[in-house]
Amino acid sequence: MRDDFGREINYLRISVTDRCNLRCRYCMPEAGYADIIPREEILSFEEIVRVAEAAAKLGIRKIRLTGGEPLVRHNVVDLISKIHEIEGIEEIGITTNGILLPEMAEDLKKAGVTRVNISIDTMDPEKYKRITRGGDLNRVLAGIEAAKKAGLTPVKLNVVALGGFNEDEFGDFIELTRRENYIIRFIELMPIGHADVGDSYGFISNQEILSRFPELVPVENEKFSVSDDYRLPDGKGKVGFISALSHHFCASCNKIRLTSDGKIKPCLHSNEEIDMKGPLAVSDEAVLEALDRSIHHKVEHHLLNEGAAPIERDMNKIGG
């Protein structure tokens, strides 16, 4: 399936919940659960599977489950098993904070998950507790090891670049790729929702990070990748840079998003949403038509650098 600008759309991100067991400052407001989506408005597993089946008929081949924190959704492993059975779906990923991975990694692998992205913005326990409002870094580190043991590899570690917070650790993250087959991905801070990163945390571009590490050499990117990838000359892993603002990758965007309350977002950086609950109440054909329409609603590029209105939803309600 191609959109109106010739991009092949083969990737669907599905948020299964807006709830999370952390409250990261750039993702959720301090109130946290004060403004969560009522449970009766969250899509059921049956509805999610119906959307995924329709998406596969349109050419979607890769699905990633997100949240909030997807692993807090009760029986999410059963959902993964159902998605894994859909003809045409070739890859299932999960973006997680890693807190529940020590207990769940093996079951996720058996259900059909092929790889995980784990969010970890600092390797300092006290800083981690601060940015997540109470998280335990040791749980995340155990989750990384559990993912490796289960074969959910190569493990991708997502690092949001926060000026004044973790920029003194960029070199440490890059060094991890020398001895481990990790894919470290630096992600630029995005102005989404009402999250509070505080006056001390600022935007730092990936170009600035890359300029500090001239030893990194470029490597060929994965097909449809939104990341510009590099490697240490003797490294086992890779270092990626996802630059949504300073050097946006819209020309190669291949995804649409389904929020946990049943909205398709053709673009992360737009407030446009297409309702799926209405079509779900009508027929599978109506779902197919709504998905097709959403793909043709994808804009050529986002307008955040051109004074567009801020994204109203918090990131936990969109899906990471």
Side-chain angles (χ1 to χ4, degrees), residues 121-160:
D121 302 318
T122 175
M123 291 184 283
D124 180 299
E126 288 304 313
K127 287 168 66 176
Y128 185 84
K129 183 179 295 185
R130 191 189 326 152
I131 196 68
T132 60
R133 297 190 177 102
D136 182 357
L137 179 64
N138 288 326
R139 290 286 302 171
V140 184
L141 298 177
I144 293 171
E145 291 302 315
K148 289 163 54 179
K149 183 178 179 181
L152 297 171
T153 55
V155 173
K156 291 184 178 180
L157 302 181
N158 291 345
V159 182
V160 176

Side-chain angles (χ1 to χ4, degrees), residues 268-288:
L268 170 62
H269 301 296
S270 169
N271 286 311
E272 180 182 19
E273 298 179 346
I274 296 172
D275 176 63
M276 293 301 295
K277 285 187 175 179
L280 281 164
V282 176
S283 67
D284 290 342
E285 183 61 31
V287 173
L288 197 69

Side-chain angles (χ1 to χ4, degrees), residues 134-278:
D136 182 357
L137 179 64
N138 288 326
R139 290 286 302 171
V140 184
L141 298 177
I144 293 171
E145 291 302 315
K148 289 163 54 179
K149 183 178 179 181
L152 297 171
T153 55
V155 173
K156 291 184 178 180
L157 302 181
N158 291 345
V159 182
V160 176
L162 297 168
F165 175 73
N166 59 1
E167 58 186 306
D168 60 329
E169 297 184 72
F170 294 162
D172 296 331
F173 278 111
I174 291 172
E175 189 63 27
L176 285 177
T177 69
R178 190 184 304 277
R179 59 183 184 271
E180 294 279 358
N181 186 25
Y182 293 143
I183 301 176
I184 303 292
R185 305 197 308 172
F186 293 106
I187 302 173
E188 289 181 345
L189 181 64
M190 294 177 281
I192 291 179
H194 306 91
D196 171 29
V197 295
D199 293 336
S200 60
Y201 305 151
F203 177 83
I204 180 169
S205 74
N206 276 333
Q207 283 68 37
E208 169 62 24
I209 299 173
L210 187 56
S211 71
R212 300 180 188 182
F213 301 96
E215 65 271 27
L216 290 172
V217 294
V219 298
E220 184 177 357
N221 294 344
E222 295 180 9
K223 188 178 181 181
F224 302 116
S225 176
V226 299
S227 173
D228 293 318
D229 293 336
Y230 293 77
R231 185 189 300 274
L232 290 171
D234 59 345
K236 293 182 178 180
K238 293 193 295 186
V239 181
F241 296 89
I242 299 178
S243 309
L245 297 184
S246 67
H247 185 64
H248 69 70
F249 41 79
C250 300
S252 60
C253 180
N254 66 330
K255 68 175 70 67
I256 54 176
R257 296 168 181 265
L258 176 66
T259 66
S260 58
D261 58 346
K263 311 291 184 184
I264 288 286
K265 287 185 69 70
C267 174
L268 170 62
H269 301 296
S270 169
N271 286 311
E272 180 182 19
E273 298 179 346
I274 296 172
D275 176 63
M276 293 301 295
K277 285 187 175 179

